[in-house]
Tab-separated table of all heavy atoms in Angstrom:
chain	number	residue	atom	x	y	z
V	444	ASN	N	109.055	120.516	108.640
V	444	ASN	CA	109.454	120.722	107.258
V	444	ASN	C	108.198	120.739	106.385
V	444	ASN	O	107.409	119.808	106.411
V	444	ASN	CB	110.409	119.597	106.841
V	444	ASN	CG	110.837	119.663	105.388
V	444	ASN	OD1	110.820	118.666	104.692
V	444	ASN	ND2	111.229	120.832	104.913
V	445	VAL	N	108.004	121.804	105.619
V	445	VAL	CA	106.764	121.956	104.851
V	445	VAL	C	106.605	120.849	103.805
V	445	VAL	O	105.493	120.423	103.504
V	445	VAL	CB	106.697	123.364	104.199
V	445	VAL	CG1	107.723	123.510	103.078
V	445	VAL	CG2	105.293	123.659	103.710
V	446	ARG	N	107.714	120.323	103.288
V	446	ARG	CA	107.615	119.265	102.273
V	446	ARG	C	107.038	117.985	102.870
V	446	ARG	O	106.370	117.207	102.190
V	446	ARG	CB	108.986	118.975	101.656
V	446	ARG	CG	109.666	120.189	101.053
V	446	ARG	CD	108.879	120.797	99.925
V	446	ARG	NE	109.336	120.335	98.615
V	446	ARG	CZ	108.778	120.711	97.467
V	446	ARG	NH1	107.731	121.522	97.485
V	446	ARG	NH2	109.237	120.265	96.319
V	447	LEU	N	107.303	117.748	104.156
V	447	LEU	CA	106.705	116.594	104.836
V	447	LEU	C	105.188	116.693	104.841
V	447	LEU	O	104.483	115.697	104.700
V	447	LEU	CB	107.193	116.515	106.296
V	447	LEU	CG	108.573	115.928	106.564
V	447	LEU	CD1	108.908	116.068	108.037
V	447	LEU	CD2	108.635	114.474	106.147
V	448	SER	N	104.673	117.909	104.998
V	448	SER	CA	103.217	118.125	105.013
V	448	SER	C	102.629	118.069	103.608
V	448	SER	O	101.483	117.641	103.423
V	448	SER	CB	102.899	119.496	105.629
V	448	SER	OG	103.535	119.625	106.867
V	449	GLU	N	103.394	118.498	102.632
V	449	GLU	CA	102.900	118.532	101.242
V	449	GLU	C	102.806	117.153	100.604
V	449	GLU	O	101.877	116.856	99.857
V	449	GLU	CB	103.857	119.369	100.365
V	449	GLU	CG	103.706	120.850	100.482
V	449	GLU	CD	104.779	121.575	99.656
V	449	GLU	OE1	105.428	120.940	98.804
V	449	GLU	OE2	104.957	122.771	99.890
V	450	ALA	N	103.781	116.308	100.887
V	450	ALA	CA	103.924	115.036	100.167
V	450	ALA	C	102.660	114.169	100.168
V	450	ALA	O	102.263	113.643	99.117
V	450	ALA	CB	105.121	114.258	100.715
V	451	PRO	N	101.960	113.999	101.329
V	451	PRO	CA	100.782	113.120	101.321
V	451	PRO	C	99.676	113.585	100.372
V	451	PRO	O	98.936	112.764	99.824
V	451	PRO	CB	100.299	113.165	102.776
V	451	PRO	CG	101.492	113.560	103.564
V	451	PRO	CD	102.276	114.470	102.679
V	452	SER	N	99.574	114.891	100.152
V	452	SER	CA	98.522	115.384	99.239
V	452	SER	C	98.813	114.983	97.798
V	452	SER	O	97.942	115.009	96.944
V	452	SER	CB	98.386	116.907	99.348
V	452	SER	OG	99.559	117.544	98.873
V	453	HIS	N	100.050	114.562	97.532
V	453	HIS	CA	100.431	114.048	96.210
V	453	HIS	C	100.447	112.519	96.189
V	453	HIS	O	100.864	111.913	95.205
V	453	HIS	CB	101.801	114.600	95.809
V	453	HIS	CG	101.811	116.098	95.630
V	453	HIS	ND1	101.538	116.713	94.420
V	453	HIS	CD2	102.016	117.098	96.519
V	453	HIS	CE1	101.589	118.026	94.571
V	453	HIS	NE2	101.890	118.287	95.827
V	454	GLY	N	100.023	111.920	97.314
V	454	GLY	CA	99.927	110.462	97.376
V	454	GLY	C	101.261	109.754	97.366
V	454	GLY	O	101.391	108.651	96.841
V	455	MET	N	102.254	110.375	97.968
V	455	MET	CA	103.568	109.722	98.001
V	455	MET	C	104.362	110.115	99.245
V	455	MET	O	104.157	111.195	99.806
V	455	MET	CB	104.366	110.019	96.734
V	455	MET	CG	104.669	111.464	96.475
V	455	MET	SD	105.617	111.665	94.927
V	455	MET	CE	104.350	111.341	93.711
V	456	PRO	N	105.269	109.233	99.676
V	456	PRO	CA	106.169	109.575	100.787
V	456	PRO	C	107.088	110.725	100.380
V	456	PRO	O	107.425	110.883	99.203
V	456	PRO	CB	106.983	108.282	100.985
V	456	PRO	CG	106.188	107.200	100.312
V	456	PRO	CD	105.474	107.864	99.180
V	457	VAL	N	107.522	111.499	101.364
V	457	VAL	CA	108.407	112.630	101.068
V	457	VAL	C	109.743	112.128	100.505
V	457	VAL	O	110.398	112.822	99.722
V	457	VAL	CB	108.605	113.508	102.326
V	457	VAL	CG1	109.548	112.853	103.327
V	457	VAL	CG2	109.095	114.905	101.944
V	458	LEU	N	110.135	110.913	100.863
V	458	LEU	CA	111.388	110.341	100.340
V	458	LEU	C	111.387	110.252	98.821
V	458	LEU	O	112.433	110.225	98.191
V	458	LEU	CB	111.599	108.920	100.892
V	458	LEU	CG	111.791	108.751	102.392
V	458	LEU	CD1	112.205	107.325	102.722
V	458	LEU	CD2	112.830	109.701	102.927
V	459	ILE	N	110.190	110.171	98.251
V	459	ILE	CA	110.061	110.077	96.797
V	459	ILE	C	109.638	111.435	96.217
V	459	ILE	O	110.086	111.832	95.153
V	459	ILE	CB	109.064	108.964	96.429
V	459	ILE	CG1	109.682	107.608	96.811
V	459	ILE	CG2	108.685	108.980	94.949
V	459	ILE	CD1	108.724	106.490	97.002
V	460	TYR	N	108.818	112.151	96.953
V	460	TYR	CA	108.312	113.457	96.509
V	460	TYR	C	109.437	114.487	96.380
V	460	TYR	O	109.515	115.239	95.414
V	460	TYR	CB	107.257	113.931	97.506
V	460	TYR	CG	106.690	115.301	97.250
V	460	TYR	CD1	105.928	115.567	96.111
V	460	TYR	CD2	106.890	116.333	98.162
V	460	TYR	CE1	105.395	116.823	95.893
V	460	TYR	CE2	106.358	117.594	97.957
V	460	TYR	CZ	105.611	117.832	96.808
V	460	TYR	OH	105.081	119.084	96.591
V	461	ASP	N	110.319	114.527	97.369
V	461	ASP	CA	111.441	115.482	97.330
V	461	ASP	C	112.601	114.884	98.126
V	461	ASP	O	112.705	115.057	99.342
V	461	ASP	CB	111.010	116.828	97.927
V	461	ASP	CG	112.118	117.876	97.857
V	461	ASP	OD1	113.271	117.510	97.525
V	461	ASP	OD2	111.843	119.061	98.138
V	462	LYS	N	113.474	114.179	97.427
V	462	LYS	CA	114.559	113.430	98.093
V	462	LYS	C	115.534	114.312	98.871
V	462	LYS	O	116.194	113.852	99.792
V	462	LYS	CB	115.370	112.648	97.043
V	462	LYS	CG	114.685	111.420	96.493
V	462	LYS	CD	115.646	110.664	95.581
V	462	LYS	CE	115.072	109.333	95.126
V	462	LYS	NZ	113.926	109.483	94.235
V	463	SER	N	115.645	115.573	98.463
V	463	SER	CA	116.727	116.387	99.023
V	463	SER	C	116.285	117.340	100.132
V	463	SER	O	117.122	118.044	100.705
V	463	SER	CB	117.382	117.203	97.900
V	463	SER	OG	116.418	118.056	97.317
V	464	CYS	N	114.992	117.364	100.474
V	464	CYS	CA	114.540	118.290	101.520
V	464	CYS	C	114.988	117.783	102.900
V	464	CYS	O	115.298	116.601	103.066
V	464	CYS	CB	113.027	118.474	101.472
V	464	CYS	SG	112.100	117.036	102.071
V	465	PRO	N	115.014	118.645	103.909
V	465	PRO	CA	115.452	118.217	105.247
V	465	PRO	C	114.632	117.056	105.814
V	465	PRO	O	115.180	116.182	106.481
V	465	PRO	CB	115.278	119.487	106.093
V	465	PRO	CG	115.397	120.614	105.123
V	465	PRO	CD	114.790	120.113	103.844
V	466	GLY	N	113.331	117.046	105.534
V	466	GLY	CA	112.478	115.954	106.012
V	466	GLY	C	112.904	114.623	105.426
V	466	GLY	O	112.985	113.605	106.138
V	467	SER	N	113.195	114.601	104.125
V	467	SER	CA	113.641	113.361	103.473
V	467	SER	C	114.977	112.901	104.033
V	467	SER	O	115.159	111.717	104.336
V	467	SER	CB	113.789	113.565	101.964
V	467	SER	OG	112.531	113.518	101.345
V	468	LYS	N	115.897	113.831	104.158
V	468	LYS	CA	117.230	113.464	104.663
V	468	LYS	C	117.126	112.829	106.050
V	468	LYS	O	117.807	111.848	106.361
V	468	LYS	CB	118.135	114.699	104.705
V	468	LYS	CG	118.582	115.156	103.312
V	468	LYS	CD	119.379	116.439	103.391
V	468	LYS	CE	119.808	116.899	101.988
V	468	LYS	NZ	120.445	118.225	102.027
V	469	SER	N	116.239	113.386	106.879
V	469	SER	CA	116.110	112.837	108.233
V	469	SER	C	115.455	111.458	108.194
V	469	SER	O	115.847	110.565	108.960
V	469	SER	CB	115.328	113.799	109.139
V	469	SER	OG	114.041	114.033	108.624
V	470	TYR	N	114.478	111.232	107.317
V	470	TYR	CA	113.852	109.903	107.240
V	470	TYR	C	114.784	108.869	106.590
V	470	TYR	O	114.741	107.693	106.953
V	470	TYR	CB	112.487	109.955	106.542
V	470	TYR	CG	111.368	110.250	107.516
V	470	TYR	CD1	110.654	111.452	107.461
V	470	TYR	CD2	111.040	109.334	108.513
V	470	TYR	CE1	109.646	111.730	108.384
V	470	TYR	CE2	110.038	109.601	109.436
V	470	TYR	CZ	109.344	110.793	109.367
V	470	TYR	OH	108.362	111.056	110.292
V	471	PHE	N	115.631	109.297	105.656
V	471	PHE	CA	116.660	108.379	105.139
V	471	PHE	C	117.599	107.962	106.275
V	471	PHE	O	117.947	106.787	106.439
V	471	PHE	CB	117.473	109.034	104.018
V	471	PHE	CG	116.812	109.001	102.666
V	471	PHE	CD1	116.568	110.175	101.949
V	471	PHE	CD2	116.434	107.794	102.080
V	471	PHE	CE1	115.958	110.143	100.705
V	471	PHE	CE2	115.827	107.749	100.833
V	471	PHE	CZ	115.586	108.926	100.138
V	472	SER	N	117.996	108.952	107.075
V	472	SER	CA	118.890	108.688	108.206
V	472	SER	C	118.208	107.770	109.224
V	472	SER	O	118.814	106.824	109.746
V	472	SER	CB	119.272	110.018	108.857
V	472	SER	OG	119.942	109.806	110.062
V	473	PHE	N	116.926	108.034	109.498
V	473	PHE	CA	116.181	107.204	110.452
V	473	PHE	C	116.057	105.767	109.946
V	473	PHE	O	116.217	104.814	110.715
V	473	PHE	CB	114.795	107.800	110.699
V	473	PHE	CG	113.893	106.884	111.486
V	473	PHE	CD1	114.282	106.389	112.720
V	473	PHE	CD2	112.663	106.508	110.977
V	473	PHE	CE1	113.459	105.536	113.444
V	473	PHE	CE2	111.835	105.645	111.686
V	473	PHE	CZ	112.231	105.163	112.930
V	474	THR	N	115.801	105.598	108.643
V	474	THR	CA	115.698	104.239	108.076
V	474	THR	C	116.997	103.476	108.278
V	474	THR	O	116.989	102.301	108.664
V	474	THR	CB	115.359	104.307	106.568
V	474	THR	OG1	114.130	105.023	106.389
V	474	THR	CG2	115.199	102.910	105.984
V	475	ASP	N	118.121	104.136	108.039
V	475	ASP	CA	119.426	103.484	108.252
V	475	ASP	C	119.602	103.089	109.718
V	475	ASP	O	120.059	101.986	110.023
V	475	ASP	CB	120.572	104.424	107.839
V	475	ASP	CG	120.629	104.635	106.330
V	475	ASP	OD1	120.058	103.811	105.594
V	475	ASP	OD2	121.235	105.634	105.898
V	476	GLU	N	119.211	103.985	110.610
V	476	GLU	CA	119.346	103.705	112.046
V	476	GLU	C	118.431	102.536	112.448
V	476	GLU	O	118.820	101.660	113.224
V	476	GLU	CB	118.978	104.969	112.838
V	476	GLU	CG	119.348	104.893	114.291
V	476	GLU	CD	119.083	106.193	115.058
V	476	GLU	OE1	118.782	107.235	114.435
V	476	GLU	OE2	119.168	106.140	116.300
V	477	PHE	N	117.244	102.523	111.893
V	477	PHE	CA	116.261	101.451	112.153
V	477	PHE	C	116.817	100.094	111.706
V	477	PHE	O	116.749	99.105	112.433
V	477	PHE	CB	114.967	101.779	111.396
V	477	PHE	CG	113.845	100.799	111.597
V	477	PHE	CD1	112.898	100.997	112.598
V	477	PHE	CD2	113.712	99.690	110.777
V	477	PHE	CE1	111.854	100.101	112.777
V	477	PHE	CE2	112.672	98.790	110.944
V	477	PHE	CZ	111.736	99.000	111.954
V	478	ILE	N	117.399	100.059	110.513
V	478	ILE	CA	117.970	98.801	109.991
V	478	ILE	C	119.177	98.368	110.829
V	478	ILE	O	119.343	97.188	111.140
V	478	ILE	CB	118.362	98.961	108.505
V	478	ILE	CG1	117.100	99.072	107.642
V	478	ILE	CG2	119.219	97.784	108.034
V	478	ILE	CD1	117.356	99.448	106.198
V	479	ASN	N	119.987	99.339	111.236
V	479	ASN	CA	121.175	99.010	112.040
V	479	ASN	C	120.814	98.454	113.413
V	479	ASN	O	121.624	97.765	114.038
V	479	ASN	CB	122.072	100.242	112.200
V	479	ASN	CG	122.765	100.615	110.899
V	479	ASN	OD1	122.931	99.771	110.025
V	479	ASN	ND2	123.149	101.871	110.764
V	480	GLN	N	119.586	98.744	113.867
V	480	GLN	CA	119.123	98.174	115.134
V	480	GLN	C	119.118	96.653	115.104
V	480	GLN	O	119.250	96.010	116.139
V	480	GLN	CB	117.688	98.620	115.417
V	480	GLN	CG	117.547	99.867	116.256
V	480	GLN	CD	116.083	100.107	116.595
V	480	GLN	OE1	115.244	100.165	115.717
V	480	GLN	NE2	115.801	100.246	117.857
V	481	GLU	N	118.907	96.079	113.916
V	481	GLU	CA	118.769	94.628	113.827
V	481	GLU	C	119.979	93.901	114.406
V	481	GLU	O	119.864	92.828	114.961
V	481	GLU	CB	118.570	94.190	112.366
V	481	GLU	CG	117.320	94.743	111.715
V	481	GLU	CD	116.038	94.386	112.437
V	481	GLU	OE1	116.023	93.405	113.197
V	481	GLU	OE2	115.051	95.096	112.266
V	482	SER	N	121.148	94.499	114.266
V	482	SER	CA	122.359	93.831	114.756
V	482	SER	C	122.389	93.788	116.272
V	482	SER	O	123.031	92.933	116.873
V	482	SER	CB	123.605	94.549	114.225
V	482	SER	OG	123.590	95.889	114.659
V	483	THR	N	121.649	94.709	116.927
V	483	THR	CA	121.661	94.727	118.393
V	483	THR	C	120.461	93.996	118.998
V	483	THR	O	120.577	93.438	120.071
V	483	THR	CB	121.686	96.176	118.929
V	483	THR	OG1	120.576	96.888	118.381
V	483	THR	CG2	122.977	96.867	118.545
V	484	ILE	N	119.319	94.010	118.297
V	484	ILE	CA	118.145	93.364	118.902
V	484	ILE	C	117.842	92.015	118.270
V	484	ILE	O	116.972	91.296	118.711
V	484	ILE	CB	116.881	94.263	118.815
V	484	ILE	CG1	116.480	94.499	117.362
V	484	ILE	CG2	117.085	95.545	119.549
V	484	ILE	CD1	115.174	95.246	117.210
V	485	GLY	N	118.570	91.685	117.183
V	485	GLY	CA	118.282	90.415	116.503
V	485	GLY	C	117.095	90.589	115.589
V	485	GLY	O	116.338	91.550	115.686
V	486	SER	N	116.891	89.663	114.691
V	486	SER	CA	115.812	89.806	113.712
V	486	SER	C	114.648	88.862	113.992
V	486	SER	O	113.860	88.573	113.124
V	486	SER	CB	116.343	89.543	112.297
V	486	SER	OG	116.969	88.294	112.237
V	487	ALA	N	114.546	88.402	115.226
V	487	ALA	CA	113.409	87.537	115.561
V	487	ALA	C	112.131	88.346	115.605
V	487	ALA	O	112.132	89.491	116.029
V	487	ALA	CB	113.651	86.891	116.920
Side-chain angles (χ1 to χ4, degrees):
N444 177 226
V445 70
R446 304 299 264 179
L447 281 175
S448 308
E449 281 175 15
S452 66
H453 296 270
M455 61 180 73
V457 75
L458 296 189
I459 292 158
Y460 176 66
D461 182 350
K462 285 186 173 68
S463 61
C464 73
S467 281
K468 287 175 181 173
S469 59
Y470 272 113
F471 279 123
S472 170
F473 170 55
T474 302
D475 290 341
E476 192 175 350
F477 182 92
I478 290 171
N479 289 337
Q480 267 187 306
E481 298 302 339
S482 59
T483 56
I484 64 174
S486 55

